[in-house]
């Protein structure tokens, strides 16, 4: 059975002006993102990974080309319409967590859910179940971001990202600022929600994080120059590690 296309780009281009010069970050890129996949975007630091992520999610408009997301051509949307679309269809997890310091982590999550018109009582119950799932108990839910470790804050960020049941969770270097144990905890949550059917698109430069994906897309100079199918993640799969290592070597990573 063929997979359902969730996001599709056609001849996607993104250009920035720098001192009168044009920098072509994304170049005529064609890409399909499939429903239920854990797609990992890799490449060198100047490959255009984050730029592509922001375009796919409607956080930034392309210079040229077409983006179809959930059967809607979002590349034609104005900024206000894109904001409404993102609120309904997208969840975001960033390296910098961007929780509101003046609010408890529970209130941070509730504020995201209330923007979509959900009833507060139902939202609280939903949030509690999600917090329990990521290992943040009721005591931690009442704390402020500054009182949490980096890993706890990032797991709270994942709860905020999924509270509205988005079609896709976009993650940009979600473990980049975390130590090894906290990174594992965050990656475990992302793997679990993907196993439940949540589509995930993650940018990373870290091989350990990349192994969680079932599909690796490698960017170079703003174009896709290779892909690798790893299948569903299974902990301790040495063949998976070696397959990814061989692929990245082929990509001159």
């Amino acid at each position: 059975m063929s997979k359902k296309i969730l996001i599709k780009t056609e001849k996607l281009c993104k250009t920035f002006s720098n001192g009168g010069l044009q920098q072509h970050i994304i170049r005529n890129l064609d890409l399909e993102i499939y429903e239920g996949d854990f797609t990992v975007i890799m490449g060198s630091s100047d490959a255009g990974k984050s730029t592509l992520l922001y375009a796919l999610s409607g956080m930034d408009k392309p210079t040229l080309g077409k983006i179809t997301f959930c059967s809607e051509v979002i590349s034609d949307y104005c900024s206000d319409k894109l904001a409404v679309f993102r609120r309904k269809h997208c969840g975001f997890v960033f390296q910098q967590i961007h929780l509101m310091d003046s609010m408890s982590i529970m209130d941070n999550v509730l504020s995201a859910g209330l923007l979509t018109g959900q009833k507060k009582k139902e939202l609280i119950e939903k949030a509690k179940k999600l917090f329990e799932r990521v290992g943040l108990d009721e005591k931690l839910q009442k704390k402020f971001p500054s009182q949490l470790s980096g890993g706890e804050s990032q797991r709270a960020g994942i709860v905020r990202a999924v509270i509205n049941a988005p079609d896709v969770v976009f993650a940009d270097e979600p473990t980049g600022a975390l130590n090894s144990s906290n990174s594992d905890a965050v990656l475990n949550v992302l793997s679990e929600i993907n196993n439940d059917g949540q589509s995930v698109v993650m940018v990373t430069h870290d091989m350990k994080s990349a192994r969680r994906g079932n599909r690796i897309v490698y960017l170079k100079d703003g174009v896709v120059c290779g892909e690798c199918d790893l299948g569903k993640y299974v902990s301790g799969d040495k063949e998976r590690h070696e397959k990814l290592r061989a692929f990245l070597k082929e990509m001159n990573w």
Side-chain angles (χ1 to χ4, degrees):
M1 182 182 295
S2 60
K3 294 182 179 180
K4 179 181 177 181
I5 298 173
L6 193 58
I7 310 173
K8 182 177 181 179
T9 73
E10 299 174 64
K11 304 298 181 184
L12 190 70
C13 298
K14 183 64 181 181
T15 303
F16 295 99
S17 294
N18 184 11
L21 299 175
Q22 298 293 306
Q23 288 186 302
H24 303 286
I25 309 300
I26 302 293
R27 305 165 182 262
N28 293 317
L29 187 145
D30 293 333
L31 179 66
E32 294 176 348
I33 302 294
Y34 302 106
E35 189 176 71
D37 270 7
F38 193 139
T39 303
V40 174
I41 301 171
M42 299 190 75
S44 62
S45 59
D46 57 353
K49 304 185 297 296
S50 293
T51 301
L52 175 59
L53 187 82
Y54 297 152
L56 293 176
S57 62
M59 290 187 67
D60 194 14
K61 290 179 68 67
T63 305
L64 293 170
K66 180 179 178 181
I67 304 173
T68 306
F69 189 151
C70 291
S71 301
E72 298 185 41
V73 182
I74 67 169
S75 45
D76 293 338
Y77 284 1
C78 66
S79 296
D80 289 345
K81 194 169 183 180
L82 275 174
V84 173
F85 183 88
R86 289 194 303 269
R87 194 179 302 154
K88 180 179 179 182
H89 296 280
C90 306
F92 296 94
V93 183
F94 300 103
Q95 180 175 340
Q96 300 299 322
I97 302 162
H98 302 301
L99 294 170
M100 296 291 291
D101 292 333
S102 60
M103 302 167 65
S104 69
I105 61 168
M106 172 61 86
D107 286 339
N108 266 278
V109 170
L110 295 181
S111 64
L114 291 171
L115 286 172
T116 60
Q118 298 182 64
K119 294 180 180 179
K120 187 173 182 178
K121 184 177 180 180
E122 296 175 0
L123 195 59
I124 290 173
E125 292 305 311
K126 184 178 179 182
K128 285 181 177 178
K129 290 178 181 178
L130 288 170
F131 275 124
E132 181 180 355
R133 180 171 187 179
V134 301
L136 298 177
D137 60 27
E138 190 171 352
K139 184 178 179 180
L140 288 174
Q141 294 165 29
K142 296 176 181 178
K143 289 189 174 184
F144 292 86
S146 61
Q147 297 174 301
L148 301 181
S149 70
E152 290 167 342
S153 294
Q154 193 61 287
R155 281 180 278 156
I158 294 174
V159 173
R160 182 185 57 185
V162 300
I163 192 67
N164 295 330
D167 293 285
V168 186
V169 169
F170 293 96
D172 191 3
E173 301 283 7
T175 64
L178 303 178
N179 61 30
S180 180
S181 61
N182 281 325
S183 293
D184 287 342
V186 168
L187 291 169
N188 286 341
V189 174
L190 290 173
S191 292
E192 287 173 13
I193 63 174
N194 176 249
N195 286 337
D196 287 345
Q198 175 69 63
S199 304
V200 178
V201 177
M202 180 174 72
V203 162
T204 187
H205 67 276
D206 176 55
M207 187 172 174
K208 180 180 177 182
S209 299
R211 288 202 303 265
R212 298 301 182 114
N214 65 282
R215 179 191 182 201
I216 312 298
V217 176
Y218 196 89
L219 252 58
K220 184 177 182 180
D221 297 328
V223 298
V224 176
C225 64
E227 294 191 26
C228 180
D229 182 4
L230 294 178
K232 281 292 184 182
Y233 173 75
V234 178
S235 179
D237 184 350
K238 292 184 178 179
E239 289 186 7
R240 181 187 197 85
H241 176 80
E242 293 306 319
K243 185 175 183 179
L244 178 57
R245 183 188 294 276
F247 169 71
L248 293 176
K249 183 177 181 180
E250 182 183 342
M251 295 293 104
N252 295 315
W253 184 75

